[in-house]
Amino acid sequence: MQQINLLGMVTESRNPNSENIDSCSTLEILKIINNEDKQVALAVEKELANISLAVDAISQAFLNQGRLIYIGAGTSGRLGILDASECPPTYGTSPEQVIGLIAGGQPAILKAVENAEDNPELATNDLKKINFNSNDILVGIAASGRTPYVIGGMQYAKSIGSTVISLCCNPKSPMIKLANIAITPIVGAEVITGSSRMKAGTAQKLVLNMLTTASMIKQGKVYGNLMVDVEATNAKLIERQISIVTQATNCCREEAITALAKSNGHCKTAILMILSGLNAEQAKKKLTQAHGFIRQALQTT
């Protein structure tokens, strides 16, 4: 078995602020956790320049009909799947535009699959199964920065000319050396030694939020701060669509409902109809010409 040097990893070091946490009261335990969590956003802030580079690369990939693929193991893999799964209902994207892959496949989402993360060839196979190509972007996610499954995927992606991004929480890790763009929020030792689902996981979640949210904004899927490509797949989201149209146009509820009905439940079209006076067909054509950006469509009406 390959020996892993945990002592050299920041995420595996012992936190002096929580050495006696097992002797604390409930409130004291929570205060220690909360104080450590406060450091996470500051660590992410230091990586904004690299996150910006990643967003621009992802946005360009989308313009070239490429996809955003997350790959990880354990908590990191689950976070990638979570972020990917939220894109279709929030931004009306195809389920294939943002995909999360996890070592061990679907069973590993709910339960650990032994040894899957130690096999780099599994990642290559998983990428080939989804026809990963050079237009796609791969984001390798691993708190340690050394997970073999993730490294195997990154190596394969680089070998076919894809842009590769690393997201890890240990400096000088193998993933950083492989990446075209490295995002490395250093959150320090965990409250419970080695439990990288905590601060490291929170940092990864914050970064993934940024990657997809900023990329979707740059694709015209947000108007103001309203998610105007939201799909109404349940009662709550139908109500949200109505609210978005009324807030974007200052129209009454009835007018929003009417416009949504005429536009087949497409928020952008309904908004442009109300703001420009165009009918549904004209508004849809204007949006197509403006590549889905409401502001640009308004400038040409």
PDB file of all heavy atoms in Angstrom, residues 85-118:
ATOM      1  N   SER A  85     -26.129  19.924 -10.159  1.00  0.00           N
ATOM      2  CA  SER A  85     -27.553  19.589 -10.187  1.00  0.00           C
ATOM      3  C   SER A  85     -28.452  20.798  -9.996  1.00  0.00           C
ATOM      4  O   SER A  85     -29.633  20.771 -10.380  1.00  0.00           O
ATOM      5  CB  SER A  85     -27.864  18.543  -9.100  1.00  0.00           C
ATOM      6  OG  SER A  85     -27.717  19.097  -7.804  1.00  0.00           O
ATOM      7  N   GLU A  86     -27.911  21.864  -9.420  1.00  0.00           N
ATOM      8  CA  GLU A  86     -28.715  23.066  -9.181  1.00  0.00           C
ATOM      9  C   GLU A  86     -28.792  23.982 -10.403  1.00  0.00           C
ATOM     10  O   GLU A  86     -29.636  24.881 -10.461  1.00  0.00           O
ATOM     11  CB  GLU A  86     -28.143  23.861  -8.004  1.00  0.00           C
ATOM     12  CG  GLU A  86     -28.246  23.172  -6.656  1.00  0.00           C
ATOM     13  CD  GLU A  86     -29.664  23.069  -6.138  1.00  0.00           C
ATOM     14  OE1 GLU A  86     -30.573  23.688  -6.740  1.00  0.00           O
ATOM     15  OE2 GLU A  86     -29.890  22.358  -5.146  1.00  0.00           O
ATOM     16  N   CYS A  87     -27.930  23.771 -11.391  1.00  0.00           N
ATOM     17  CA  CYS A  87     -27.899  24.677 -12.544  1.00  0.00           C
ATOM     18  C   CYS A  87     -29.154  24.592 -13.425  1.00  0.00           C
ATOM     19  O   CYS A  87     -29.691  25.636 -13.809  1.00  0.00           O
ATOM     20  CB  CYS A  87     -26.640  24.433 -13.376  1.00  0.00           C
ATOM     21  SG  CYS A  87     -25.130  25.002 -12.557  1.00  0.00           S
ATOM     22  N   PRO A  88     -29.658  23.402 -13.777  1.00  0.00           N
ATOM     23  CA  PRO A  88     -30.853  23.363 -14.631  1.00  0.00           C
ATOM     24  C   PRO A  88     -32.078  24.057 -14.049  1.00  0.00           C
ATOM     25  O   PRO A  88     -32.694  24.888 -14.729  1.00  0.00           O
ATOM     26  CB  PRO A  88     -31.075  21.855 -14.833  1.00  0.00           C
ATOM     27  CG  PRO A  88     -29.710  21.264 -14.714  1.00  0.00           C
ATOM     28  CD  PRO A  88     -29.057  22.056 -13.615  1.00  0.00           C
ATOM     29  N   PRO A  89     -32.459  23.794 -12.776  1.00  0.00           N
ATOM     30  CA  PRO A  89     -33.646  24.488 -12.263  1.00  0.00           C
ATOM     31  C   PRO A  89     -33.431  25.976 -12.031  1.00  0.00           C
ATOM     32  O   PRO A  89     -34.359  26.775 -12.160  1.00  0.00           O
ATOM     33  CB  PRO A  89     -33.945  23.762 -10.945  1.00  0.00           C
ATOM     34  CG  PRO A  89     -32.649  23.168 -10.527  1.00  0.00           C
ATOM     35  CD  PRO A  89     -31.945  22.812 -11.797  1.00  0.00           C
ATOM     36  N   THR A  90     -32.202  26.367 -11.702  1.00  0.00           N
ATOM     37  CA  THR A  90     -31.931  27.775 -11.395  1.00  0.00           C
ATOM     38  C   THR A  90     -31.737  28.612 -12.643  1.00  0.00           C
ATOM     39  O   THR A  90     -32.226  29.747 -12.722  1.00  0.00           O
ATOM     40  CB  THR A  90     -30.665  27.894 -10.510  1.00  0.00           C
ATOM     41  OG1 THR A  90     -30.808  27.049  -9.367  1.00  0.00           O
ATOM     42  CG2 THR A  90     -30.457  29.334 -10.053  1.00  0.00           C
ATOM     43  N   TYR A  91     -31.038  28.059 -13.631  1.00  0.00           N
ATOM     44  CA  TYR A  91     -30.673  28.849 -14.802  1.00  0.00           C
ATOM     45  C   TYR A  91     -31.200  28.289 -16.118  1.00  0.00           C
ATOM     46  O   TYR A  91     -30.853  28.795 -17.187  1.00  0.00           O
ATOM     47  CB  TYR A  91     -29.149  28.984 -14.877  1.00  0.00           C
ATOM     48  CG  TYR A  91     -28.574  29.737 -13.701  1.00  0.00           C
ATOM     49  CD1 TYR A  91     -27.780  29.089 -12.749  1.00  0.00           C
ATOM     50  CD2 TYR A  91     -28.842  31.088 -13.511  1.00  0.00           C
ATOM     51  CE1 TYR A  91     -27.265  29.776 -11.657  1.00  0.00           C
ATOM     52  CE2 TYR A  91     -28.338  31.777 -12.420  1.00  0.00           C
ATOM     53  CZ  TYR A  91     -27.552  31.120 -11.506  1.00  0.00           C
ATOM     54  OH  TYR A  91     -27.056  31.792 -10.425  1.00  0.00           O
ATOM     55  N   GLY A  92     -32.008  27.246 -16.060  1.00  0.00           N
ATOM     56  CA  GLY A  92     -32.585  26.705 -17.285  1.00  0.00           C
ATOM     57  C   GLY A  92     -31.574  26.073 -18.212  1.00  0.00           C
ATOM     58  O   GLY A  92     -31.790  26.001 -19.422  1.00  0.00           O
ATOM     59  N   THR A  93     -30.465  25.600 -17.670  1.00  0.00           N
ATOM     60  CA  THR A  93     -29.437  24.982 -18.505  1.00  0.00           C
ATOM     61  C   THR A  93     -29.781  23.525 -18.800  1.00  0.00           C
ATOM     62  O   THR A  93     -30.576  22.899 -18.090  1.00  0.00           O
ATOM     63  CB  THR A  93     -28.062  25.017 -17.805  1.00  0.00           C
ATOM     64  OG1 THR A  93     -28.154  24.273 -16.582  1.00  0.00           O
ATOM     65  CG2 THR A  93     -27.629  26.430 -17.509  1.00  0.00           C
ATOM     66  N   SER A  94     -29.141  22.981 -19.817  1.00  0.00           N
ATOM     67  CA  SER A  94     -29.250  21.562 -20.085  1.00  0.00           C
ATOM     68  C   SER A  94     -28.544  20.796 -18.970  1.00  0.00           C
ATOM     69  O   SER A  94     -27.508  21.245 -18.463  1.00  0.00           O
ATOM     70  CB  SER A  94     -28.593  21.236 -21.428  1.00  0.00           C
ATOM     71  OG  SER A  94     -28.293  19.868 -21.522  1.00  0.00           O
ATOM     72  N   PRO A  95     -29.063  19.619 -18.570  1.00  0.00           N
ATOM     73  CA  PRO A  95     -28.377  18.813 -17.550  1.00  0.00           C
ATOM     74  C   PRO A  95     -26.969  18.409 -17.962  1.00  0.00           C
ATOM     75  O   PRO A  95     -26.159  18.035 -17.110  1.00  0.00           O
ATOM     76  CB  PRO A  95     -29.278  17.573 -17.415  1.00  0.00           C
ATOM     77  CG  PRO A  95     -30.618  18.008 -17.898  1.00  0.00           C
ATOM     78  CD  PRO A  95     -30.342  19.011 -18.988  1.00  0.00           C
ATOM     79  N   GLU A  96     -26.675  18.488 -19.265  1.00  0.00           N
ATOM     80  CA  GLU A  96     -25.343  18.104 -19.750  1.00  0.00           C
ATOM     81  C   GLU A  96     -24.345  19.265 -19.734  1.00  0.00           C
ATOM     82  O   GLU A  96     -23.156  19.051 -19.968  1.00  0.00           O
ATOM     83  CB  GLU A  96     -25.442  17.572 -21.184  1.00  0.00           C
ATOM     84  CG  GLU A  96     -26.055  16.186 -21.298  1.00  0.00           C
ATOM     85  CD  GLU A  96     -27.558  16.186 -21.097  1.00  0.00           C
ATOM     86  OE1 GLU A  96     -28.220  17.124 -21.601  1.00  0.00           O
ATOM     87  OE2 GLU A  96     -28.076  15.276 -20.426  1.00  0.00           O
ATOM     88  N   GLN A  97     -24.795  20.488 -19.461  1.00  0.00           N
ATOM     89  CA  GLN A  97     -23.872  21.627 -19.528  1.00  0.00           C
ATOM     90  C   GLN A  97     -22.915  21.660 -18.341  1.00  0.00           C
ATOM     91  O   GLN A  97     -21.740  22.015 -18.481  1.00  0.00           O
ATOM     92  CB  GLN A  97     -24.639  22.948 -19.602  1.00  0.00           C
ATOM     93  CG  GLN A  97     -23.725  24.143 -19.831  1.00  0.00           C
ATOM     94  CD  GLN A  97     -24.479  25.424 -20.125  1.00  0.00           C
ATOM     95  OE1 GLN A  97     -25.695  25.433 -20.256  1.00  0.00           O
ATOM     96  NE2 GLN A  97     -23.765  26.525 -20.239  1.00  0.00           N
ATOM     97  N   VAL A  98     -23.405  21.313 -17.170  1.00  0.00           N
ATOM     98  CA  VAL A  98     -22.562  21.228 -15.968  1.00  0.00           C
ATOM     99  C   VAL A  98     -22.785  19.843 -15.363  1.00  0.00           C
ATOM    100  O   VAL A  98     -23.917  19.487 -15.016  1.00  0.00           O
ATOM    101  CB  VAL A  98     -22.912  22.322 -14.943  1.00  0.00           C
ATOM    102  CG1 VAL A  98     -21.945  22.260 -13.756  1.00  0.00           C
ATOM    103  CG2 VAL A  98     -22.874  23.705 -15.576  1.00  0.00           C
ATOM    104  N   ILE A  99     -21.705  19.070 -15.245  1.00  0.00           N
ATOM    105  CA  ILE A  99     -21.807  17.687 -14.787  1.00  0.00           C
ATOM    106  C   ILE A  99     -20.838  17.458 -13.627  1.00  0.00           C
ATOM    107  O   ILE A  99     -19.700  17.924 -13.652  1.00  0.00           O
ATOM    108  CB  ILE A  99     -21.472  16.707 -15.933  1.00  0.00           C
ATOM    109  CG1 ILE A  99     -22.491  16.845 -17.071  1.00  0.00           C
ATOM    110  CG2 ILE A  99     -21.431  15.258 -15.435  1.00  0.00           C
ATOM    111  CD1 ILE A  99     -22.149  16.019 -18.306  1.00  0.00           C
ATOM    112  N   GLY A 100     -21.291  16.719 -12.637  1.00  0.00           N
ATOM    113  CA  GLY A 100     -20.430  16.333 -11.528  1.00  0.00           C
ATOM    114  C   GLY A 100     -20.126  14.852 -11.559  1.00  0.00           C
ATOM    115  O   GLY A 100     -21.039  14.030 -11.683  1.00  0.00           O
ATOM    116  N   LEU A 101     -18.849  14.503 -11.493  1.00  0.00           N
ATOM    117  CA  LEU A 101     -18.427  13.105 -11.449  1.00  0.00           C
ATOM    118  C   LEU A 101     -17.812  12.821 -10.080  1.00  0.00           C
ATOM    119  O   LEU A 101     -17.068  13.641  -9.541  1.00  0.00           O
ATOM    120  CB  LEU A 101     -17.390  12.804 -12.533  1.00  0.00           C
ATOM    121  CG  LEU A 101     -17.816  13.018 -13.993  1.00  0.00           C
ATOM    122  CD1 LEU A 101     -16.634  12.758 -14.921  1.00  0.00           C
ATOM    123  CD2 LEU A 101     -18.988  12.107 -14.352  1.00  0.00           C
ATOM    124  N   ILE A 102     -18.125  11.638  -9.536  1.00  0.00           N
ATOM    125  CA  ILE A 102     -17.593  11.262  -8.223  1.00  0.00           C
ATOM    126  C   ILE A 102     -16.971   9.877  -8.300  1.00  0.00           C
ATOM    127  O   ILE A 102     -17.482   8.986  -8.991  1.00  0.00           O
ATOM    128  CB  ILE A 102     -18.713  11.294  -7.152  1.00  0.00           C
ATOM    129  CG1 ILE A 102     -18.144  11.019  -5.756  1.00  0.00           C
ATOM    130  CG2 ILE A 102     -19.838  10.333  -7.483  1.00  0.00           C
ATOM    131  CD1 ILE A 102     -19.136  11.280  -4.631  1.00  0.00           C
ATOM    132  N   ALA A 103     -15.861   9.690  -7.614  1.00  0.00           N
ATOM    133  CA  ALA A 103     -15.205   8.380  -7.573  1.00  0.00           C
ATOM    134  C   ALA A 103     -16.172   7.349  -7.001  1.00  0.00           C
ATOM    135  O   ALA A 103     -16.716   7.533  -5.916  1.00  0.00           O
ATOM    136  CB  ALA A 103     -13.949   8.455  -6.712  1.00  0.00           C
ATOM    137  N   GLY A 104     -16.378   6.276  -7.754  1.00  0.00           N
ATOM    138  CA  GLY A 104     -17.303   5.248  -7.311  1.00  0.00           C
ATOM    139  C   GLY A 104     -18.684   5.373  -7.925  1.00  0.00           C
ATOM    140  O   GLY A 104     -19.542   4.514  -7.709  1.00  0.00           O
ATOM    141  N   GLY A 105     -18.910   6.457  -8.692  1.00  0.00           N
ATOM    142  CA  GLY A 105     -20.182   6.620  -9.380  1.00  0.00           C
ATOM    143  C   GLY A 105     -21.348   6.936  -8.461  1.00  0.00           C
ATOM    144  O   GLY A 105     -21.166   7.338  -7.304  1.00  0.00           O
ATOM    145  N   GLN A 106     -22.548   6.741  -8.952  1.00  0.00           N
ATOM    146  CA  GLN A 106     -23.763   7.133  -8.233  1.00  0.00           C
ATOM    147  C   GLN A 106     -23.876   6.542  -6.825  1.00  0.00           C
ATOM    148  O   GLN A 106     -24.303   7.241  -5.902  1.00  0.00           O
ATOM    149  CB  GLN A 106     -24.996   6.763  -9.061  1.00  0.00           C
ATOM    150  CG  GLN A 106     -26.280   7.369  -8.508  1.00  0.00           C
ATOM    151  CD  GLN A 106     -27.436   7.243  -9.492  1.00  0.00           C
ATOM    152  OE1 GLN A 106     -27.279   6.738 -10.585  1.00  0.00           O
ATOM    153  NE2 GLN A 106     -28.602   7.717  -9.083  1.00  0.00           N
ATOM    154  N   PRO A 107     -23.488   5.283  -6.586  1.00  0.00           N
ATOM    155  CA  PRO A 107     -23.574   4.754  -5.212  1.00  0.00           C
ATOM    156  C   PRO A 107     -22.777   5.570  -4.202  1.00  0.00           C
ATOM    157  O   PRO A 107     -23.130   5.637  -3.022  1.00  0.00           O
ATOM    158  CB  PRO A 107     -23.009   3.332  -5.344  1.00  0.00           C
ATOM    159  CG  PRO A 107     -23.255   2.968  -6.770  1.00  0.00           C
ATOM    160  CD  PRO A 107     -23.059   4.245  -7.543  1.00  0.00           C
ATOM    161  N   ALA A 108     -21.685   6.216  -4.669  1.00  0.00           N
ATOM    162  CA  ALA A 108     -20.808   6.969  -3.764  1.00  0.00           C
ATOM    163  C   ALA A 108     -21.422   8.282  -3.311  1.00  0.00           C
ATOM    164  O   ALA A 108     -20.903   8.919  -2.388  1.00  0.00           O
ATOM    165  CB  ALA A 108     -19.465   7.238  -4.448  1.00  0.00           C
ATOM    166  N   ILE A 109     -22.521   8.701  -3.930  1.00  0.00           N
ATOM    167  CA  ILE A 109     -23.176   9.939  -3.507  1.00  0.00           C
ATOM    168  C   ILE A 109     -23.704   9.796  -2.083  1.00  0.00           C
ATOM    169  O   ILE A 109     -23.628  10.721  -1.274  1.00  0.00           O
ATOM    170  CB  ILE A 109     -24.322  10.309  -4.477  1.00  0.00           C
ATOM    171  CG1 ILE A 109     -23.763  10.567  -5.874  1.00  0.00           C
ATOM    172  CG2 ILE A 109     -25.086  11.537  -3.967  1.00  0.00           C
ATOM    173  CD1 ILE A 109     -24.833  10.779  -6.922  1.00  0.00           C
ATOM    174  N   LEU A 110     -24.212   8.615  -1.763  1.00  0.00           N
ATOM    175  CA  LEU A 110     -24.811   8.380  -0.450  1.00  0.00           C
ATOM    176  C   LEU A 110     -23.924   7.575   0.483  1.00  0.00           C
ATOM    177  O   LEU A 110     -24.051   7.672   1.701  1.00  0.00           O
ATOM    178  CB  LEU A 110     -26.156   7.657  -0.612  1.00  0.00           C
ATOM    179  CG  LEU A 110     -27.233   8.413  -1.387  1.00  0.00           C
ATOM    180  CD1 LEU A 110     -28.478   7.543  -1.526  1.00  0.00           C
ATOM    181  CD2 LEU A 110     -27.590   9.720  -0.682  1.00  0.00           C
ATOM    182  N   LYS A 111     -23.024   6.779  -0.077  1.00  0.00           N
ATOM    183  CA  LYS A 111     -22.210   5.892   0.751  1.00  0.00           C
ATOM    184  C   LYS A 111     -20.826   5.748   0.146  1.00  0.00           C
ATOM    185  O   LYS A 111     -20.681   5.611  -1.068  1.00  0.00           O
ATOM    186  CB  LYS A 111     -22.887   4.515   0.855  1.00  0.00           C
ATOM    187  CG  LYS A 111     -22.212   3.544   1.788  1.00  0.00           C
ATOM    188  CD  LYS A 111     -22.979   2.231   1.845  1.00  0.00           C
ATOM    189  CE  LYS A 111     -22.312   1.239   2.784  1.00  0.00           C
ATOM    190  NZ  LYS A 111     -23.051  -0.049   2.831  1.00  0.00           N
ATOM    191  N   ALA A 112     -19.815   5.766   1.001  1.00  0.00           N
ATOM    192  CA  ALA A 112     -18.434   5.660   0.517  1.00  0.00           C
ATOM    193  C   ALA A 112     -18.216   4.353  -0.236  1.00  0.00           C
ATOM    194  O   ALA A 112     -18.663   3.294   0.192  1.00  0.00           O
ATOM    195  CB  ALA A 112     -17.459   5.751   1.686  1.00  0.00           C
ATOM    196  N   VAL A 113     -17.538   4.448  -1.372  1.00  0.00           N
ATOM    197  CA  VAL A 113     -17.155   3.266  -2.150  1.00  0.00           C
ATOM    198  C   VAL A 113     -15.667   3.029  -1.920  1.00  0.00           C
ATOM    199  O   VAL A 113     -14.833   3.860  -2.306  1.00  0.00           O
ATOM    200  CB  VAL A 113     -17.455   3.467  -3.656  1.00  0.00           C
ATOM    201  CG1 VAL A 113     -16.955   2.271  -4.452  1.00  0.00           C
ATOM    202  CG2 VAL A 113     -18.948   3.673  -3.875  1.00  0.00           C
ATOM    203  N   GLU A 114     -15.334   1.920  -1.278  1.00  0.00           N
ATOM    204  CA  GLU A 114     -13.959   1.659  -0.868  1.00  0.00           C
ATOM    205  C   GLU A 114     -12.988   1.674  -2.052  1.00  0.00           C
ATOM    206  O   GLU A 114     -13.251   1.069  -3.099  1.00  0.00           O
ATOM    207  CB  GLU A 114     -13.878   0.304  -0.154  1.00  0.00           C
ATOM    208  CG  GLU A 114     -14.651   0.250   1.158  1.00  0.00           C
ATOM    209  CD  GLU A 114     -14.135   1.225   2.193  1.00  0.00           C
ATOM    210  OE1 GLU A 114     -12.918   1.508   2.186  1.00  0.00           O
ATOM    211  OE2 GLU A 114     -14.938   1.724   2.993  1.00  0.00           O
ATOM    212  N   ASN A 115     -11.877   2.366  -1.864  1.00  0.00           N
ATOM    213  CA  ASN A 115     -10.734   2.369  -2.790  1.00  0.00           C
ATOM    214  C   ASN A 115     -10.990   3.070  -4.125  1.00  0.00           C
ATOM    215  O   ASN A 115     -10.073   3.191  -4.938  1.00  0.00           O
ATOM    216  CB  ASN A 115     -10.243   0.935  -3.069  1.00  0.00           C
ATOM    217  CG  ASN A 115      -9.816   0.212  -1.805  1.00  0.00           C
ATOM    218  OD1 ASN A 115      -9.197   0.822  -0.937  1.00  0.00           O
ATOM    219  ND2 ASN A 115     -10.150  -1.062  -1.693  1.00  0.00           N
ATOM    220  N   ALA A 116     -12.218   3.536  -4.386  1.00  0.00           N
ATOM    221  CA  ALA A 116     -12.501   4.172  -5.681  1.00  0.00           C
ATOM    222  C   ALA A 116     -11.636   5.404  -5.891  1.00  0.00           C
ATOM    223  O   ALA A 116     -11.150   5.653  -7.000  1.00  0.00           O
ATOM    224  CB  ALA A 116     -13.982   4.520  -5.781  1.00  0.00           C
ATOM    225  N   GLU A 117     -11.415   6.178  -4.823  1.00  0.00           N
ATOM    226  CA  GLU A 117     -10.661   7.418  -4.981  1.00  0.00           C
ATOM    227  C   GLU A 117      -9.176   7.171  -5.218  1.00  0.00           C
ATOM    228  O   GLU A 117      -8.442   8.079  -5.614  1.00  0.00           O
ATOM    229  CB  GLU A 117     -10.833   8.319  -3.759  1.00  0.00           C
ATOM    230  CG  GLU A 117     -10.155   7.842  -2.503  1.00  0.00           C
ATOM    231  CD  GLU A 117     -10.247   8.877  -1.395  1.00  0.00           C
ATOM    232  OE1 GLU A 117     -11.360   9.191  -0.946  1.00  0.00           O
ATOM    233  OE2 GLU A 117      -9.180   9.379  -0.983  1.00  0.00           O
ATOM    234  N   ASP A 118      -8.720   5.935  -4.992  1.00  0.00           N
ATOM    235  CA  ASP A 118      -7.298   5.619  -5.169  1.00  0.00           C
ATOM    236  C   ASP A 118      -6.960   5.133  -6.575  1.00  0.00           C
ATOM    237  O   ASP A 118      -5.811   4.807  -6.860  1.00  0.00           O
ATOM    238  CB  ASP A 118      -6.876   4.540  -4.159  1.00  0.00           C
ATOM    239  CG  ASP A 118      -6.981   5.033  -2.716  1.00  0.00           C
ATOM    240  OD1 ASP A 118      -6.758   6.237  -2.500  1.00  0.00           O
ATOM    241  OD2 ASP A 118      -7.283   4.216  -1.834  1.00  0.00           O
TER     242      ASP A 118
END
